[in-house]
Amino acid sequence: MHPKEITRMILYGVGLGSLAAVVYFAGPFIAIGNWRPLENTVVRSIVILLLVAGVAAVAGFSFFRRRKAAKQISDGISGACRTDGQ
């Protein structure tokens, strides 16, 4: 791995952790009228879990696209898809 990729992953982790901390600690203060949707600890945990799942899905999709593109490039370089009969 390149240092740039490692730094990016660390920053995503710090950002996700910060967002999770905001949801967990500031969640009880959010109110819509008299209704406080994030007052319960279980609900806050579910919201944090959904945030982590969303970030993991985006990262997995990005990884899949890069892997597919790298395979197409390597197939093109190796000549695996040559159709001229050689």
Side-chain angles (χ1 to χ4, degrees):
M1 276 192 163
H2 298 334
K4 190 174 183 181
E5 292 177 13
I6 294 171
T7 303
R8 182 175 44 117
M9 288 177 19
I10 290 171
L11 289 177
Y12 279 147
V14 168
L16 183 60
S18 299
L19 189 58
V22 166
V23 167
Y24 193 78
F25 292 119
F29 299 116
I30 297 173
I32 302 171
N34 289 331
W35 179 52
R36 296 186 181 272
L38 298 175
E39 190 171 31
N40 190 353
T41 307
V42 174
V43 175
R44 283 183 277 165
S45 298
I46 291 171
V47 169
I48 292 170
L49 180 68
L50 290 174
L51 285 172
V52 171
V55 169
V58 168
F61 182 69
S62 174
F63 175 75
F64 176 73
R65 279 193 335 196
R66 285 187 307 191
R67 187 172 163 206
K68 184 178 175 183
K71 181 166 177 18
Q72 288 177 345
I73 290 171
S74 67
D75 287 346
I77 290 173
S78 68
C81 57
R82 296 180 87 177
T83 59
D84 60 356
Q86 292 182 357

